[in-house]
Amino acid sequence: MRLLTRSRPSGLRDRVVWQAASLLLAYPDDQHNERLDTVESLLAHLDGEPADLLRRTVTALRGTDPLRAATDYVETFDMRRRSTMYLTYWTAGDTRNRGMEILAFATAYREAGVAPPAKEGPDYLPVVLEFAATVDPEAGRKLLNAHRVPIDVLLGALREAGSPYAHVIAAVCATLPPVTDQELQRARRLAEAGPPAEAVGLQPFTLTVPPRRTEGE
């Protein structure tokens, strides 16, 4: 594959970004270094701001002790509600509404010819990114665009925490249309109010992104 420059179709560049981001946002388990190797091979075919942002995260994770990386991941995404990667957690105010929104993700996967994930919520951002990268880029892009506000809230929370994962989310945002003033205001309101208090226990299709570890595993 030749270097992806601005003269190449943006859709292909975006798919590379989405796949790299999906891998970087996975829990740092035993395949962590292998995923970083894969991301670096993807970055060899990408240029511009998204590549620079993704590379910053790779560098940070390479320089972090594996146990520390796993602990940081849990503290970042599991212990802070504002950093959740379940997109419908920000947009649905009660369990029934959230269930309907999650169903929309599952329906998009089925219409693209793949089964929804078995061990993770279909609205889990790394899964959505991998779907967009490897299964149906147009359907995936629509899901990402429709949930741009939750993605922006996540970006703000990660930046506030000084997390290296903020660069990954910023790279994803660079593949999406610019946010409007209305979206910015909504993101601020969500960030101040926080996501809904109740959680829906759903369990990820993962192609190369592993399910998140649960306690006792």
PDB file of all heavy atoms in Angstrom, residues 62-96:
ATOM      1  N   ARG A  62       3.961   2.639  24.562  1.00  0.00           N
ATOM      2  CA  ARG A  62       5.218   1.885  24.478  1.00  0.00           C
ATOM      3  C   ARG A  62       6.100   2.178  25.692  1.00  0.00           C
ATOM      4  O   ARG A  62       6.828   1.300  26.163  1.00  0.00           O
ATOM      5  CB  ARG A  62       5.981   2.265  23.219  1.00  0.00           C
ATOM      6  CG  ARG A  62       5.425   1.743  21.914  1.00  0.00           C
ATOM      7  CD  ARG A  62       5.774   0.301  21.697  1.00  0.00           C
ATOM      8  NE  ARG A  62       5.532  -0.099  20.313  1.00  0.00           N
ATOM      9  CZ  ARG A  62       5.319  -1.351  19.932  1.00  0.00           C
ATOM     10  NH1 ARG A  62       5.339  -2.326  20.840  1.00  0.00           N
ATOM     11  NH2 ARG A  62       5.097  -1.641  18.657  1.00  0.00           N
ATOM     12  N   GLY A  63       6.021   3.387  26.189  1.00  0.00           N
ATOM     13  CA  GLY A  63       6.870   3.785  27.301  1.00  0.00           C
ATOM     14  C   GLY A  63       6.274   3.530  28.665  1.00  0.00           C
ATOM     15  O   GLY A  63       6.831   3.968  29.680  1.00  0.00           O
ATOM     16  N   THR A  64       5.147   2.817  28.715  1.00  0.00           N
ATOM     17  CA  THR A  64       4.473   2.547  29.986  1.00  0.00           C
ATOM     18  C   THR A  64       4.575   1.072  30.339  1.00  0.00           C
ATOM     19  O   THR A  64       4.350   0.208  29.495  1.00  0.00           O
ATOM     20  CB  THR A  64       2.983   2.946  29.907  1.00  0.00           C
ATOM     21  OG1 THR A  64       2.883   4.323  29.530  1.00  0.00           O
ATOM     22  CG2 THR A  64       2.290   2.742  31.247  1.00  0.00           C
ATOM     23  N   ASP A  65       4.920   0.797  31.568  1.00  0.00           N
ATOM     24  CA  ASP A  65       4.961  -0.584  32.050  1.00  0.00           C
ATOM     25  C   ASP A  65       3.603  -1.246  31.823  1.00  0.00           C
ATOM     26  O   ASP A  65       2.559  -0.620  32.049  1.00  0.00           O
ATOM     27  CB  ASP A  65       5.294  -0.582  33.537  1.00  0.00           C
ATOM     28  CG  ASP A  65       5.204  -1.956  34.153  1.00  0.00           C
ATOM     29  OD1 ASP A  65       6.159  -2.733  34.001  1.00  0.00           O
ATOM     30  OD2 ASP A  65       4.155  -2.242  34.785  1.00  0.00           O
ATOM     31  N   PRO A  66       3.564  -2.508  31.347  1.00  0.00           N
ATOM     32  CA  PRO A  66       2.290  -3.172  31.036  1.00  0.00           C
ATOM     33  C   PRO A  66       1.288  -3.156  32.182  1.00  0.00           C
ATOM     34  O   PRO A  66       0.094  -2.911  31.971  1.00  0.00           O
ATOM     35  CB  PRO A  66       2.726  -4.602  30.685  1.00  0.00           C
ATOM     36  CG  PRO A  66       4.112  -4.443  30.159  1.00  0.00           C
ATOM     37  CD  PRO A  66       4.718  -3.343  30.984  1.00  0.00           C
ATOM     38  N   LEU A  67       1.756  -3.429  33.389  1.00  0.00           N
ATOM     39  CA  LEU A  67       0.835  -3.416  34.526  1.00  0.00           C
ATOM     40  C   LEU A  67       0.304  -2.019  34.779  1.00  0.00           C
ATOM     41  O   LEU A  67      -0.887  -1.826  35.049  1.00  0.00           O
ATOM     42  CB  LEU A  67       1.549  -3.944  35.781  1.00  0.00           C
ATOM     43  CG  LEU A  67       0.696  -4.016  37.053  1.00  0.00           C
ATOM     44  CD1 LEU A  67      -0.521  -4.899  36.834  1.00  0.00           C
ATOM     45  CD2 LEU A  67       1.533  -4.528  38.221  1.00  0.00           C
ATOM     46  N   ARG A  68       1.174  -1.023  34.663  1.00  0.00           N
ATOM     47  CA  ARG A  68       0.756   0.364  34.827  1.00  0.00           C
ATOM     48  C   ARG A  68      -0.243   0.751  33.737  1.00  0.00           C
ATOM     49  O   ARG A  68      -1.224   1.451  34.000  1.00  0.00           O
ATOM     50  CB  ARG A  68       1.986   1.268  34.755  1.00  0.00           C
ATOM     51  CG  ARG A  68       1.728   2.761  34.900  1.00  0.00           C
ATOM     52  CD  ARG A  68       1.381   3.090  36.334  1.00  0.00           C
ATOM     53  NE  ARG A  68      -0.044   3.355  36.511  1.00  0.00           N
ATOM     54  CZ  ARG A  68      -0.620   3.585  37.667  1.00  0.00           C
ATOM     55  NH1 ARG A  68       0.090   3.555  38.779  1.00  0.00           N
ATOM     56  NH2 ARG A  68      -1.899   3.835  37.754  1.00  0.00           N
ATOM     57  N   ALA A  69       0.007   0.289  32.507  1.00  0.00           N
ATOM     58  CA  ALA A  69      -0.896   0.602  31.399  1.00  0.00           C
ATOM     59  C   ALA A  69      -2.285   0.036  31.658  1.00  0.00           C
ATOM     60  O   ALA A  69      -3.298   0.700  31.408  1.00  0.00           O
ATOM     61  CB  ALA A  69      -0.334   0.056  30.088  1.00  0.00           C
ATOM     62  N   ALA A  70      -2.341  -1.194  32.174  1.00  0.00           N
ATOM     63  CA  ALA A  70      -3.632  -1.819  32.458  1.00  0.00           C
ATOM     64  C   ALA A  70      -4.353  -1.077  33.579  1.00  0.00           C
ATOM     65  O   ALA A  70      -5.563  -0.835  33.505  1.00  0.00           O
ATOM     66  CB  ALA A  70      -3.428  -3.283  32.838  1.00  0.00           C
ATOM     67  N   THR A  71      -3.602  -0.698  34.610  1.00  0.00           N
ATOM     68  CA  THR A  71      -4.200   0.034  35.725  1.00  0.00           C
ATOM     69  C   THR A  71      -4.717   1.390  35.269  1.00  0.00           C
ATOM     70  O   THR A  71      -5.831   1.802  35.629  1.00  0.00           O
ATOM     71  CB  THR A  71      -3.165   0.222  36.849  1.00  0.00           C
ATOM     72  OG1 THR A  71      -2.712  -1.069  37.298  1.00  0.00           O
ATOM     73  CG2 THR A  71      -3.768   0.989  38.019  1.00  0.00           C
ATOM     74  N   ASP A  72      -3.911   2.094  34.479  1.00  0.00           N
ATOM     75  CA  ASP A  72      -4.331   3.400  33.962  1.00  0.00           C
ATOM     76  C   ASP A  72      -5.586   3.274  33.118  1.00  0.00           C
ATOM     77  O   ASP A  72      -6.478   4.137  33.172  1.00  0.00           O
ATOM     78  CB  ASP A  72      -3.211   4.025  33.123  1.00  0.00           C
ATOM     79  CG  ASP A  72      -2.040   4.501  33.977  1.00  0.00           C
ATOM     80  OD1 ASP A  72      -2.191   4.573  35.207  1.00  0.00           O
ATOM     81  OD2 ASP A  72      -0.973   4.783  33.403  1.00  0.00           O
ATOM     82  N   TYR A  73      -5.662   2.217  32.317  1.00  0.00           N
ATOM     83  CA  TYR A  73      -6.826   2.009  31.447  1.00  0.00           C
ATOM     84  C   TYR A  73      -8.095   1.864  32.280  1.00  0.00           C
ATOM     85  O   TYR A  73      -9.116   2.506  32.005  1.00  0.00           O
ATOM     86  CB  TYR A  73      -6.609   0.772  30.577  1.00  0.00           C
ATOM     87  CG  TYR A  73      -7.691   0.526  29.553  1.00  0.00           C
ATOM     88  CD1 TYR A  73      -7.547   0.973  28.240  1.00  0.00           C
ATOM     89  CD2 TYR A  73      -8.859  -0.167  29.879  1.00  0.00           C
ATOM     90  CE1 TYR A  73      -8.538   0.748  27.292  1.00  0.00           C
ATOM     91  CE2 TYR A  73      -9.845  -0.396  28.959  1.00  0.00           C
ATOM     92  CZ  TYR A  73      -9.680   0.067  27.650  1.00  0.00           C
ATOM     93  OH  TYR A  73     -10.666  -0.150  26.713  1.00  0.00           O
ATOM     94  N   VAL A  74      -8.020   1.019  33.302  1.00  0.00           N
ATOM     95  CA  VAL A  74      -9.192   0.795  34.152  1.00  0.00           C
ATOM     96  C   VAL A  74      -9.584   2.082  34.870  1.00  0.00           C
ATOM     97  O   VAL A  74     -10.770   2.441  34.934  1.00  0.00           O
ATOM     98  CB  VAL A  74      -8.907  -0.327  35.168  1.00  0.00           C
ATOM     99  CG1 VAL A  74     -10.027  -0.415  36.206  1.00  0.00           C
ATOM    100  CG2 VAL A  74      -8.747  -1.660  34.449  1.00  0.00           C
ATOM    101  N   GLU A  75      -8.593   2.793  35.401  1.00  0.00           N
ATOM    102  CA  GLU A  75      -8.881   4.045  36.096  1.00  0.00           C
ATOM    103  C   GLU A  75      -9.489   5.079  35.159  1.00  0.00           C
ATOM    104  O   GLU A  75     -10.351   5.868  35.554  1.00  0.00           O
ATOM    105  CB  GLU A  75      -7.604   4.596  36.728  1.00  0.00           C
ATOM    106  CG  GLU A  75      -7.099   3.778  37.912  1.00  0.00           C
ATOM    107  CD  GLU A  75      -5.815   4.340  38.496  1.00  0.00           C
ATOM    108  OE1 GLU A  75      -5.230   5.260  37.874  1.00  0.00           O
ATOM    109  OE2 GLU A  75      -5.394   3.858  39.559  1.00  0.00           O
ATOM    110  N   THR A  76      -9.044   5.068  33.901  1.00  0.00           N
ATOM    111  CA  THR A  76      -9.523   6.061  32.933  1.00  0.00           C
ATOM    112  C   THR A  76     -10.926   5.755  32.451  1.00  0.00           C
ATOM    113  O   THR A  76     -11.805   6.631  32.468  1.00  0.00           O
ATOM    114  CB  THR A  76      -8.570   6.124  31.719  1.00  0.00           C
ATOM    115  OG1 THR A  76      -7.278   6.540  32.164  1.00  0.00           O
ATOM    116  CG2 THR A  76      -9.083   7.103  30.673  1.00  0.00           C
ATOM    117  N   PHE A  77     -11.158   4.514  32.021  1.00  0.00           N
ATOM    118  CA  PHE A  77     -12.420   4.208  31.339  1.00  0.00           C
ATOM    119  C   PHE A  77     -13.467   3.517  32.208  1.00  0.00           C
ATOM    120  O   PHE A  77     -14.652   3.557  31.884  1.00  0.00           O
ATOM    121  CB  PHE A  77     -12.139   3.349  30.100  1.00  0.00           C
ATOM    122  CG  PHE A  77     -11.328   4.059  29.049  1.00  0.00           C
ATOM    123  CD1 PHE A  77     -10.038   3.652  28.757  1.00  0.00           C
ATOM    124  CD2 PHE A  77     -11.856   5.150  28.373  1.00  0.00           C
ATOM    125  CE1 PHE A  77      -9.287   4.320  27.787  1.00  0.00           C
ATOM    126  CE2 PHE A  77     -11.115   5.818  27.411  1.00  0.00           C
ATOM    127  CZ  PHE A  77      -9.824   5.400  27.125  1.00  0.00           C
ATOM    128  N   ASP A  78     -13.051   2.874  33.284  1.00  0.00           N
ATOM    129  CA  ASP A  78     -14.008   2.156  34.120  1.00  0.00           C
ATOM    130  C   ASP A  78     -14.365   2.894  35.405  1.00  0.00           C
ATOM    131  O   ASP A  78     -15.449   2.695  35.943  1.00  0.00           O
ATOM    132  CB  ASP A  78     -13.465   0.767  34.481  1.00  0.00           C
ATOM    133  CG  ASP A  78     -13.292  -0.117  33.263  1.00  0.00           C
ATOM    134  OD1 ASP A  78     -13.896   0.202  32.223  1.00  0.00           O
ATOM    135  OD2 ASP A  78     -12.557  -1.117  33.352  1.00  0.00           O
ATOM    136  N   MET A  79     -13.444   3.723  35.886  1.00  0.00           N
ATOM    137  CA  MET A  79     -13.666   4.378  37.169  1.00  0.00           C
ATOM    138  C   MET A  79     -14.185   5.808  37.033  1.00  0.00           C
ATOM    139  O   MET A  79     -14.583   6.410  38.024  1.00  0.00           O
ATOM    140  CB  MET A  79     -12.364   4.393  37.985  1.00  0.00           C
ATOM    141  CG  MET A  79     -11.727   3.026  38.152  1.00  0.00           C
ATOM    142  SD  MET A  79     -12.819   1.827  38.956  1.00  0.00           S
ATOM    143  CE  MET A  79     -12.841   2.489  40.623  1.00  0.00           C
ATOM    144  N   ARG A  80     -14.181   6.348  35.825  1.00  0.00           N
ATOM    145  CA  ARG A  80     -14.649   7.718  35.613  1.00  0.00           C
ATOM    146  C   ARG A  80     -15.828   7.689  34.644  1.00  0.00           C
ATOM    147  O   ARG A  80     -15.668   7.330  33.484  1.00  0.00           O
ATOM    148  CB  ARG A  80     -13.533   8.589  35.033  1.00  0.00           C
ATOM    149  CG  ARG A  80     -12.314   8.699  35.923  1.00  0.00           C
ATOM    150  CD  ARG A  80     -11.180   9.381  35.205  1.00  0.00           C
ATOM    151  NE  ARG A  80      -9.979   9.439  36.010  1.00  0.00           N
ATOM    152  CZ  ARG A  80      -8.761   9.593  35.525  1.00  0.00           C
ATOM    153  NH1 ARG A  80      -8.591   9.707  34.214  1.00  0.00           N
ATOM    154  NH2 ARG A  80      -7.710   9.634  36.318  1.00  0.00           N
ATOM    155  N   ARG A  81     -16.998   8.065  35.125  1.00  0.00           N
ATOM    156  CA  ARG A  81     -18.184   7.995  34.274  1.00  0.00           C
ATOM    157  C   ARG A  81     -18.064   8.897  33.051  1.00  0.00           C
ATOM    158  O   ARG A  81     -18.570   8.565  31.981  1.00  0.00           O
ATOM    159  CB  ARG A  81     -19.434   8.371  35.075  1.00  0.00           C
ATOM    160  CG  ARG A  81     -19.786   7.364  36.148  1.00  0.00           C
ATOM    161  CD  ARG A  81     -21.196   7.553  36.627  1.00  0.00           C
ATOM    162  NE  ARG A  81     -21.439   8.921  37.080  1.00  0.00           N
ATOM    163  CZ  ARG A  81     -22.653   9.418  37.309  1.00  0.00           C
ATOM    164  NH1 ARG A  81     -23.714   8.670  37.087  1.00  0.00           N
ATOM    165  NH2 ARG A  81     -22.796  10.660  37.739  1.00  0.00           N
ATOM    166  N   ARG A  82     -17.394  10.034  33.185  1.00  0.00           N
ATOM    167  CA  ARG A  82     -17.284  10.942  32.041  1.00  0.00           C
ATOM    168  C   ARG A  82     -16.424  10.364  30.937  1.00  0.00           C
ATOM    169  O   ARG A  82     -16.457  10.849  29.809  1.00  0.00           O
ATOM    170  CB  ARG A  82     -16.705  12.290  32.491  1.00  0.00           C
ATOM    171  CG  ARG A  82     -17.689  13.167  33.251  1.00  0.00           C
ATOM    172  CD  ARG A  82     -17.077  14.519  33.556  1.00  0.00           C
ATOM    173  NE  ARG A  82     -16.648  15.204  32.349  1.00  0.00           N
ATOM    174  CZ  ARG A  82     -15.776  16.208  32.329  1.00  0.00           C
ATOM    175  NH1 ARG A  82     -15.216  16.606  33.457  1.00  0.00           N
ATOM    176  NH2 ARG A  82     -15.455  16.785  31.193  1.00  0.00           N
ATOM    177  N   SER A  83     -15.642   9.328  31.258  1.00  0.00           N
ATOM    178  CA  SER A  83     -14.759   8.730  30.258  1.00  0.00           C
ATOM    179  C   SER A  83     -15.327   7.438  29.685  1.00  0.00           C
ATOM    180  O   SER A  83     -14.593   6.671  29.070  1.00  0.00           O
ATOM    181  CB  SER A  83     -13.371   8.453  30.870  1.00  0.00           C
ATOM    182  OG  SER A  83     -12.766   9.637  31.320  1.00  0.00           O
ATOM    183  N   THR A  84     -16.600   7.191  29.893  1.00  0.00           N
ATOM    184  CA  THR A  84     -17.167   5.967  29.359  1.00  0.00           C
ATOM    185  C   THR A  84     -17.091   5.943  27.843  1.00  0.00           C
ATOM    186  O   THR A  84     -17.230   6.974  27.179  1.00  0.00           O
ATOM    187  CB  THR A  84     -18.635   5.791  29.793  1.00  0.00           C
ATOM    188  OG1 THR A  84     -19.125   4.553  29.247  1.00  0.00           O
ATOM    189  CG2 THR A  84     -19.509   6.927  29.287  1.00  0.00           C
ATOM    190  N   MET A  85     -16.866   4.763  27.272  1.00  0.00           N
ATOM    191  CA  MET A  85     -16.834   4.617  25.821  1.00  0.00           C
ATOM    192  C   MET A  85     -18.126   3.994  25.287  1.00  0.00           C
ATOM    193  O   MET A  85     -18.219   3.661  24.106  1.00  0.00           O
ATOM    194  CB  MET A  85     -15.613   3.802  25.389  1.00  0.00           C
ATOM    195  CG  MET A  85     -14.311   4.576  25.531  1.00  0.00           C
ATOM    196  SD  MET A  85     -12.902   3.847  24.639  1.00  0.00           S
ATOM    197  CE  MET A  85     -12.508   2.470  25.713  1.00  0.00           C
ATOM    198  N   TYR A  86     -19.129   3.845  26.152  1.00  0.00           N
ATOM    199  CA  TYR A  86     -20.449   3.398  25.702  1.00  0.00           C
ATOM    200  C   TYR A  86     -21.235   4.634  25.276  1.00  0.00           C
ATOM    201  O   TYR A  86     -21.694   5.419  26.110  1.00  0.00           O
ATOM    202  CB  TYR A  86     -21.168   2.634  26.815  1.00  0.00           C
ATOM    203  CG  TYR A  86     -20.515   1.302  27.114  1.00  0.00           C
ATOM    204  CD1 TYR A  86     -19.588   1.176  28.134  1.00  0.00           C
ATOM    205  CD2 TYR A  86     -20.813   0.183  26.341  1.00  0.00           C
ATOM    206  CE1 TYR A  86     -18.970  -0.039  28.395  1.00  0.00           C
ATOM    207  CE2 TYR A  86     -20.206  -1.035  26.596  1.00  0.00           C
ATOM    208  CZ  TYR A  86     -19.286  -1.143  27.620  1.00  0.00           C
ATOM    209  OH  TYR A  86     -18.666  -2.347  27.876  1.00  0.00           O
ATOM    210  N   LEU A  87     -21.398   4.811  23.976  1.00  0.00           N
ATOM    211  CA  LEU A  87     -21.910   6.069  23.445  1.00  0.00           C
ATOM    212  C   LEU A  87     -23.337   6.380  23.870  1.00  0.00           C
ATOM    213  O   LEU A  87     -23.684   7.541  24.082  1.00  0.00           O
ATOM    214  CB  LEU A  87     -21.797   6.058  21.915  1.00  0.00           C
ATOM    215  CG  LEU A  87     -20.370   5.926  21.376  1.00  0.00           C
ATOM    216  CD1 LEU A  87     -20.377   5.890  19.846  1.00  0.00           C
ATOM    217  CD2 LEU A  87     -19.485   7.062  21.885  1.00  0.00           C
ATOM    218  N   THR A  88     -24.192   5.362  23.997  1.00  0.00           N
ATOM    219  CA  THR A  88     -25.588   5.640  24.360  1.00  0.00           C
ATOM    220  C   THR A  88     -25.739   5.988  25.833  1.00  0.00           C
ATOM    221  O   THR A  88     -26.798   6.454  26.247  1.00  0.00           O
ATOM    222  CB  THR A  88     -26.495   4.437  24.042  1.00  0.00           C
ATOM    223  OG1 THR A  88     -26.102   3.317  24.849  1.00  0.00           O
ATOM    224  CG2 THR A  88     -26.414   4.050  22.578  1.00  0.00           C
ATOM    225  N   TYR A  89     -24.704   5.792  26.615  1.00  0.00           N
ATOM    226  CA  TYR A  89     -24.759   6.148  28.028  1.00  0.00           C
ATOM    227  C   TYR A  89     -24.961   7.648  28.199  1.00  0.00           C
ATOM    228  O   TYR A  89     -25.502   8.112  29.194  1.00  0.00           O
ATOM    229  CB  TYR A  89     -23.445   5.709  28.678  1.00  0.00           C
ATOM    230  CG  TYR A  89     -23.437   5.730  30.197  1.00  0.00           C
ATOM    231  CD1 TYR A  89     -24.396   5.037  30.923  1.00  0.00           C
ATOM    232  CD2 TYR A  89     -22.446   6.414  30.891  1.00  0.00           C
ATOM    233  CE1 TYR A  89     -24.376   5.034  32.304  1.00  0.00           C
ATOM    234  CE2 TYR A  89     -22.410   6.417  32.275  1.00  0.00           C
ATOM    235  CZ  TYR A  89     -23.378   5.722  32.981  1.00  0.00           C
ATOM    236  OH  TYR A  89     -23.350   5.719  34.346  1.00  0.00           O
ATOM    237  N   TRP A  90     -24.537   8.406  27.197  1.00  0.00           N
ATOM    238  CA  TRP A  90     -24.668   9.859  27.252  1.00  0.00           C
ATOM    239  C   TRP A  90     -25.981  10.366  26.657  1.00  0.00           C
ATOM    240  O   TRP A  90     -26.409  11.477  26.955  1.00  0.00           O
ATOM    241  CB  TRP A  90     -23.522  10.522  26.487  1.00  0.00           C
ATOM    242  CG  TRP A  90     -22.209  10.355  27.151  1.00  0.00           C
ATOM    243  CD1 TRP A  90     -21.243   9.442  26.854  1.00  0.00           C
ATOM    244  CD2 TRP A  90     -21.703  11.108  28.244  1.00  0.00           C
ATOM    245  NE1 TRP A  90     -20.171   9.586  27.685  1.00  0.00           N
ATOM    246  CE2 TRP A  90     -20.428  10.608  28.551  1.00  0.00           C
ATOM    247  CE3 TRP A  90     -22.209  12.171  28.997  1.00  0.00           C
ATOM    248  CZ2 TRP A  90     -19.637  11.119  29.572  1.00  0.00           C
ATOM    249  CZ3 TRP A  90     -21.418  12.692  30.014  1.00  0.00           C
ATOM    250  CH2 TRP A  90     -20.150  12.170  30.295  1.00  0.00           C
ATOM    251  N   THR A  91     -26.603   9.590  25.799  1.00  0.00           N
ATOM    252  CA  THR A  91     -27.720  10.120  25.023  1.00  0.00           C
ATOM    253  C   THR A  91     -29.088   9.629  25.483  1.00  0.00           C
ATOM    254  O   THR A  91     -30.095  10.196  25.082  1.00  0.00           O
ATOM    255  CB  THR A  91     -27.544   9.760  23.534  1.00  0.00           C
ATOM    256  OG1 THR A  91     -27.431   8.335  23.398  1.00  0.00           O
ATOM    257  CG2 THR A  91     -26.302  10.418  22.957  1.00  0.00           C
ATOM    258  N   ALA A  92     -29.146   8.557  26.275  1.00  0.00           N
ATOM    259  CA  ALA A  92     -30.439   8.015  26.692  1.00  0.00           C
ATOM    260  C   ALA A  92     -30.658   8.266  28.171  1.00  0.00           C
ATOM    261  O   ALA A  92     -29.817   7.957  29.002  1.00  0.00           O
ATOM    262  CB  ALA A  92     -30.507   6.522  26.392  1.00  0.00           C
ATOM    263  N   GLY A  93     -31.831   8.804  28.495  1.00  0.00           N
ATOM    264  CA  GLY A  93     -32.095   9.178  29.880  1.00  0.00           C
ATOM    265  C   GLY A  93     -32.661   8.090  30.748  1.00  0.00           C
ATOM    266  O   GLY A  93     -32.728   8.243  31.959  1.00  0.00           O
ATOM    267  N   ASP A  94     -33.113   6.978  30.170  1.00  0.00           N
ATOM    268  CA  ASP A  94     -33.599   5.886  30.990  1.00  0.00           C
ATOM    269  C   ASP A  94     -33.324   4.571  30.269  1.00  0.00           C
ATOM    270  O   ASP A  94     -32.954   4.549  29.110  1.00  0.00           O
ATOM    271  CB  ASP A  94     -35.089   6.031  31.315  1.00  0.00           C
ATOM    272  CG  ASP A  94     -35.953   6.093  30.064  1.00  0.00           C
ATOM    273  OD1 ASP A  94     -35.826   5.196  29.208  1.00  0.00           O
ATOM    274  OD2 ASP A  94     -36.763   7.014  29.944  1.00  0.00           O
ATOM    275  N   THR A  95     -33.512   3.501  30.979  1.00  0.00           N
ATOM    276  CA  THR A  95     -33.151   2.176  30.468  1.00  0.00           C
ATOM    277  C   THR A  95     -33.880   1.847  29.176  1.00  0.00           C
ATOM    278  O   THR A  95     -33.290   1.340  28.226  1.00  0.00           O
ATOM    279  CB  THR A  95     -33.460   1.102  31.533  1.00  0.00           C
ATOM    280  OG1 THR A  95     -32.719   1.380  32.708  1.00  0.00           O
ATOM    281  CG2 THR A  95     -33.085  -0.279  31.011  1.00  0.00           C
ATOM    282  N   ARG A  96     -35.172   2.134  29.094  1.00  0.00           N
ATOM    283  CA  ARG A  96     -35.930   1.792  27.904  1.00  0.00           C
ATOM    284  C   ARG A  96     -35.422   2.550  26.685  1.00  0.00           C
ATOM    285  O   ARG A  96     -35.220   1.975  25.620  1.00  0.00           O
ATOM    286  CB  ARG A  96     -37.422   2.092  28.105  1.00  0.00           C
ATOM    287  CG  ARG A  96     -38.272   1.732  26.888  1.00  0.00           C
ATOM    288  CD  ARG A  96     -39.742   1.798  27.218  1.00  0.00           C
ATOM    289  NE  ARG A  96     -40.108   3.105  27.754  1.00  0.00           N
ATOM    290  CZ  ARG A  96     -41.321   3.391  28.214  1.00  0.00           C
ATOM    291  NH1 ARG A  96     -42.259   2.459  28.215  1.00  0.00           N
ATOM    292  NH2 ARG A  96     -41.599   4.601  28.675  1.00  0.00           N
TER     293      ARG A  96
END
